[in-house]
Amino acid sequence: MVRFFGIIVGLGFVSALIFSIIGSLPFEAAERTAVEDFHQKPRTLALASDGAFGKFDRKQLQRGLQVYNEVCSACHSLRLVSFRDIAALGYNEGQVKSFAAAHEVPSIDPDTGEPATRPGLPKDAFPSPYPNETAARAANNNALPPDLSLITKAREGGAPYVYSLLTGFRNPETYRNEKGEALPADSKPGTGLHFNPWFANLNLAMAPPLTSEGQVTYGPGNPKPTVDQMAKDVSAFLVWTAEPKLENRRAVGWGALGFLLIFTVLTYLSYRQIWADKKH
């Protein structure tokens, strides 16, 4: 019986060895698809909030809020962010109230019980542009515009992906990949779709949202509102919506590391003091 189990175990090891050898053999690669040949990795995007010591650029976040409010909010919701949250961007109480009141939020008529709208209050979340998912799909070629509250956390690539997508729309007829190859006919966008090599399957229902310089008017003292600058600003803003307490979290983390470092030094000095006159 022992010999039998020994043979079984030996066969298992041999099988594993054979499979590992076969797996390492250089088989001919499968034919690459157009998505693999034309899909691009996110472009580099440097933000003030990057890195272990990064801090939000409030001016940039305010510009990003403006881009979202004037462009992106036409299709995308921001349901996890309340109007009062923008006080963290440098707005005072009066400005927050004015910003909220400029938006209409869903309500109920107290006299008739019918759906209605009212001016927003600081406690309200940013309203959705559509009453429900069916209406959202009907207005977007059956595609559902995602909520942007956590988009830089939900999408691989984070803010650089968002920035690349916003600036990545190309003409499928003239676009060439790094090898100089043209896009195959069966990969070109169909009706209602738009070619963007930074999107997962190359074609998406969203039309280019940022189309020209000055589409959003920035106030004095701000950079020129080029498409590239507006894309950077709204990407930075969406980093904040996804993690508004980023600076506090980092401050607590560095404080904890400092405490542990000091505690370690004091513990070592105590050890040396206690055992200094002890013979080994």
Side-chain angles (χ1 to χ4, degrees), residues 243-261:
E243 199 166 4
K245 302 298 183 182
L246 176 66
E247 293 173 330
N248 294 340
R249 179 174 61 80
R250 286 176 176 167
V252 170
W254 283 115
L257 286 175
F259 169 78
L260 291 174
L261 179 61

Side-chain angles (χ1 to χ4, degrees), residues 124-163:
D124 295 319
F126 280 70
S128 171
Y130 305 105
N132 51 53
E133 180 179 332
T134 301
R137 290 186 180 278
N140 293 278
N141 196 29
N142 202 38
L144 180 64
D147 179 83
L148 298 183
S149 305
L150 302 174
I151 197 69
T152 57
K153 291 289 187 183
R155 296 293 186 270
E156 183 179 359
Y161 164 77
V162 174
Y163 163 69

Side-chain angles (χ1 to χ4, degrees), residues 198-214:
W198 280 270
F199 189 63
N201 64 4
L202 306 181
N203 301 305
L204 72 164
M206 181 177 73
L210 302 174
T211 56
S212 61
E213 180 178 318

Side-chain angles (χ1 to χ4, degrees), residues 41-104:
K41 294 181 180 179
R43 299 164 59 195
T44 301
L45 175 64
L47 298 176
S49 58
D50 294 342
F53 297 97
K55 291 184 177 296
F56 288 121
D57 179 346
R58 261 60 184 181
K59 287 293 185 181
Q60 184 174 43
L61 297 187
Q62 290 180 12
R63 297 194 301 269
L65 170 61
Q66 186 179 353
V67 174
Y68 167 79
N69 192 49
E70 297 184 23
V71 180
C72 308
S73 63
C75 297
H76 296 276
S77 58
L78 208 61
R79 61 184 179 82
L80 299 183
V81 182
S82 299
F83 292 126
R84 62 188 172 197
D85 293 335
I86 68 170
L89 307 187
Y91 296 106
N92 59 40
E93 183 178 356
Q95 290 173 317
V96 171
K97 288 182 178 179
S98 297
F99 183 84
H103 293 75
E104 293 290 326

